[in-house]
Amino acid sequence: MKVLVTGGAGYIGSITVERLIKAGEEVVVFDNLYQGHEDAVHPDATFIKGDLANYDEIEAAIATHKPDGIMHFASYTLVGESVEMPWMYLKDNAVNGANLLEAAVKHGVKRFILSSTANLFDDPEFMPIAEDERIVPGSPYGESKYIMERYLHWMDQIYDMRYACLRYFNACGASEERGEDHAPETHLIPIVLEVALGKRDKITIFGDDYDTPDGTCVRDYIHIIDLAEAHILAMRALEDGPSRKYNLGNGKGYSIRDVIETARKVTGHPIPAEVGPRRPGDPDILIASSETINEDLGWAPMYPDLEQIISMAWEWHQKNPDGYSK
Ligand code: UDP
């Protein structure tokens, strides 16, 4: 199978590429390096520096390489930023995704995996959150992923393209060679580890008056390798199966205080923490039900334990204290 991976130089994309190559697949990475790092691209993948905003660039890549399937990670991904700069999300993410889909159907690509998000479920009626939960995008970011999901519905109806939307919760952890390096970093686990590395003085907990056991937000932290494997399983399932949507998480919730405490244990660093104001848009609790993908594809997390997830991230951050920048 030949897979074109947009955003294959980014955190989730690069580790999925690593796992695809390990599984013997042929990979073409298409990335504009806006957040991604060329060093993160697996050396056995073909790398194209290109921008989805430019239809001709993505069409040429698909025409030349003729992938069997596409995994689409490339997008703007920050909830907070999406509220401040909605058009980056409501326009750019949507137009870039449409360019990709238009070129894909033009060249007969029949399988597509979308990197979607738990931000579709801002007001869940049931916890853990299953696939039939009502969709309430929590931000322009979530809305932009929902727009992609709707595009895919029509690609399937009209062009017979089979797709899987993977709505993931909090991606974290690292492989031996690849990890999380965003600029600026906004995610909890890498920030906590930057405190342990001495790169920051403290972690600020965004609010401790939530309706949760210790007052801090509860999230479902899923290991990046488990996420990557789910993409590969889903792509294979589309060879002879219908389109589908899966929620992907550990099925377990950990509070911000749990994460900090576990990181203290793993790193041996005191990791000073202070409580600050709430971050706009954070729901109290988000936990996924991954029963559907478990039943359909036999997927289950290999690394469900928070301590192991943080240990693997910590190993990568210690080896790469400045991330991918040399
Ligand atoms: N968080 C925090 N301090 C930080 C960064 C994040 O308290 O410096 C909180 C954030 O408000 C959320 C949780 O940690 O409740 C996970 O945030 P992250 O940005 O890692 O992922 P998200 O849940 O937004 O996808």
Side-chain angles (χ1 to χ4, degrees), residues 77-80 117-119 141 168-172 180 185-192 200 202-207 210 216-221 254-256 259-260 274 276-284 286:
T77 58
L78 299 177
V79 169
T117 176
N119 196 245
Y141 164 64
Y168 15 102
F169 287 57
N170 292 64
C172 51
E180 191 165 7
E185 190 53 75
T186 62
H187 294 107
L188 179 64
I189 291 179
I191 289 180
V192 166
R200 293 177 190 246
K202 58 178 186 296
I203 173 80
T204 302
I205 297 171
F206 296 149
Y210 286 90
T216 67
C217 288
V218 169
R219 294 286 177 273
D220 183 333
Y221 294 90
Y254 294 100
S255 73
I256 298 173
V259 170
I260 297 170
E274 68 171 19
R278 286 182 173 209
R279 185 176 72 175
D282 268 335
D284 305 273
L286 284 175

Side-chain angles (χ1 to χ4, degrees), residues 124-259:
E125 277 186 296
F126 301 100
M127 196 69 62
I129 300 171
E131 289 77 9
D132 57 1
E133 181 57 70
R134 63 185 176 189
I135 305 266
V136 181
S139 66
Y141 164 64
E143 191 74 48
S144 74
K145 293 292 184 178
Y146 189 48
I147 291 169
M148 282 303 296
E149 293 203 0
R150 294 302 306 162
Y151 285 163
L152 284 167
H153 166 79
W154 292 110
M155 296 305 102
D156 180 325
Q157 296 286 306
I158 299 167
Y159 297 109
D160 219 23
M161 177 189 270
R162 299 287 176 254
Y163 67 85
C165 299
L166 303 183
R167 289 92 165 249
Y168 15 102
F169 287 57
N170 292 64
C172 51
S175 70
E176 270 180 42
E177 292 177 10
R178 291 174 181 80
E180 191 165 7
D181 176 12
H182 297 111
E185 190 53 75
T186 62
H187 294 107
L188 179 64
I189 291 179
I191 289 180
V192 166
L193 295 180
E194 284 180 6
V195 180
L197 278 173
K199 297 176 75 178
R200 293 177 190 246
D201 297 338
K202 58 178 186 296
I203 173 80
T204 302
I205 297 171
F206 296 149
D208 67 350
D209 57 352
Y210 286 90
D211 187 12
T212 60
D214 69 14
T216 67
C217 288
V218 169
R219 294 286 177 273
D220 183 333
Y221 294 90
I222 173 168
H223 197 289
I224 190 84
I225 292 177
D226 288 322
L227 270 185
E229 289 299 316
H231 287 76
I232 297 170
L233 282 176
M235 183 66 98
R236 291 194 178 136
L238 295 182
E239 262 172 57
D240 52 8
S243 296
R244 61 207 60 214
K245 294 168 184 159
Y246 294 130
N247 292 357
L248 276 176
N250 250 327
K252 264 186 280 181
Y254 294 100
S255 73
I256 298 173
R257 288 196 193 282
D258 291 334
V259 170

Side-chain angles (χ1 to χ4, degrees), residues 103-119:
V105 294
K106 182 166 176 195
H107 292 279
V109 179
K110 291 288 181 211
R111 286 185 274 160
F112 195 99
I113 309 288
L114 174 68
S115 161
S116 189
T117 176
N119 196 245

